[in-house]
Amino acid sequence: MALVATLTACGGGASPNLQNGQKIGNIVTPDRTVEISAGAGLAVSAIADTRGPDIASHRWSIAPKSDSALRAKPPTIQNADCAHASTSKKPIAGATITIAQSRCNGWMAVPVTAVDATWTVTSTATGSDGTTSSASFDLVVRSVPLPRFEIQALASADPVLDQPVTLTGLVKTDIPANIKYGWSQMAGPTVALGGADSATARWVPSVAGEYVFLLTGTWELDDLVRIATDVVSLRVMGPQASDFDFTVQAAATPATAPSASPVTLSASVSTRAGAAFDSISYQWTPLFGPNSTSTSTTLPSIILAPELPGKYVWTVQATLKSGSHTETRVSHARFEVLDPP
């Protein structure tokens, strides 16, 4: 949205800007309060006339009027010093006095992150003899809802040993801004990520197992900073160093749930057909999310009802026992808790 304020240049004869014997006059429009939304722009224009002296300077300025404006970043005024103001001179018919005129155009930009506040916008003209004239209008800024900022972490499908694996961050936002990325490893055999501070990171796995990575996205515009996170897990397949071909797979049901609603975390295991073993035990622990409460159980499933909204990742460690022989496998379950309606 753009609002435009304009002025009409004065005709011949003495300028209507000059009243009550003034040496210099200055007018701006609008001549009343203007309301504008955050993220919008406003074209402004002012005309100054002098009776006798030249115009030495013609400038725009902005000052806080409300308490909230005292703590806020002001709208910016391009060409605030009117460096490119158009000026002209003309004599008054039948007199030795010259009228000097200056037209000062500018553009105001309101930050998209602006808060509700009121500002006073002023045009000030200064004559070569030091006389000044000012004219003002009030600008009421209305904030807008915070822009959407979401981030999603993805990984290569069906990764295998000794082949590059790619992690990709996707951003969804209503307003373009400066986006910073940061990848960090949360679980799995340690790897050295290339491009950990970019939207795309890569590494070549040399060890089979389940890996978990955290992506942190930072959205920056003006004085506003927003942070969003996502987690991606992947399993790198490789030769099984197991007499049982033992694997475990964790899942969350449902994957998205309202606050305080039950979420079931379950682990399913598979072994080589006919493999004999004594027992399988399980241990569940939280890896990521607002709730840091941990638990352990010998059962393959647990039920949670987290109240705090956010993304959660839980780890299950399954241990197979056969006589004195044990094997352990790890998997991760992801789910998200939504804000109350």
Side-chain angles (χ1 to χ4, degrees):
M1 176 182 72
L3 300 179
V4 179
T6 60
L7 279 173
T8 302
C10 302
S15 168
N17 292 16
L18 302 174
Q19 299 175 1
N20 302 323
Q22 289 178 314
K23 283 189 174 183
I24 184 169
N26 186 32
I27 60 174
V28 298
T29 56
D31 56 1
R32 58 188 180 277
T33 299
V34 175
E35 186 171 308
I36 191 171
S37 297
L42 177 69
V44 292
S45 180
I47 294 178
D49 289 333
T50 65
R51 184 188 298 269
D54 289 336
I55 296 176
S57 65
H58 198 177
R59 293 184 173 88
W60 289 98
S61 61
I62 185 168
K65 186 173 183 179
S66 65
D67 289 342
S68 57
L70 293 172
R71 301 179 296 274
K73 183 177 181 179
T76 57
I77 305 177
Q78 298 177 12
N79 193 30
D81 60 356
C82 295
H84 305 294
S86 59
T87 59
S88 62
K89 294 182 181 181
K90 59 185 177 181
I92 297 179
T96 59
I97 298 176
T98 298
I99 294 291
Q101 186 180 88
S102 170
R103 179 186 293 272
C104 179
N105 297 319
W107 178 265
M108 298 188 62
V110 183
V112 70
T113 55
V115 299
D116 289 346
T118 302
W119 305 86
T120 298
V121 182
T122 302
S123 167
T124 301
T126 303
S128 57
D129 62 351
T131 56
T132 62
S133 178
S134 298
S136 304
F137 67 91
D138 287 342
L139 183 72
V140 178
V141 174
R142 298 300 184 194
S143 62
V144 297
L146 290 177
R148 177 181 64 157
F149 176 52
E150 301 172 359
I151 199 163
Q152 182 180 13
L154 303 174
S156 300
D158 303 321
V160 296
L161 287 174
D162 301 320
Q163 295 296 322
V165 176
T166 300
L167 305 177
T168 304
L170 300 179
V171 165
K172 295 180 181 179
T173 182
D174 298 326
I175 299 175
N178 180 34
I179 307 294
K180 296 180 181 178
Y181 300 86
W183 293 93
S184 58
Q185 186 176 1
M186 301 180 67
T190 302
V191 303
L193 280 177
D197 58 352
S198 63
T200 302
R202 293 182 176 86
W203 95 99
V204 177
S206 58
V207 180
E210 186 151 311
Y211 296 76
V212 180
F213 295 91
L214 171 67
L215 172 61
T216 301
T218 304
W219 180 100
E220 297 180 352
L221 185 62
D222 297 327
D223 292 333
L224 179 63
V225 175
R226 302 191 68 191
I227 296 176
T229 57
D230 195 20
V231 177
V232 63
S233 60
L234 62 146
R235 175 171 292 175
V236 177
M237 304 302 293
Q240 289 282 348
S242 167
D243 296 332
F244 301 93
D245 290 337
F246 172 45
T247 62
V248 59
Q249 182 68 51
T253 306
T256 303
S259 174
S261 296
V263 176
T264 300
L265 305 184
S266 57
S268 58
V269 300
S270 63
T271 62
R272 176 173 50 83
F277 56 87
D278 299 329
S279 64
I280 297 178
S281 61
Y282 305 86
Q283 181 176 1
W284 292 90
T285 55
L287 180 64
F288 178 78
N291 192 340
S292 60
T293 303
S294 62
T295 185
S296 63
T297 178
T298 58
L299 299 177
S301 64
I302 60 174
I303 298 178
L304 308 173
E307 297 182 358
L308 297 177
K311 296 177 181 179
Y312 292 75
V313 180
W314 279 66
T315 300
V316 62
Q317 178 177 287
T319 302
L320 178 149
K321 187 174 186 301
S322 177
S324 60
H325 175 74
T326 61
E327 291 185 22
T328 298
R329 298 289 184 269
V330 173
S331 188
H332 302 87
R334 300 172 55 199
F335 63 95
E336 184 173 5
V337 175
L338 304 179
D339 289 305

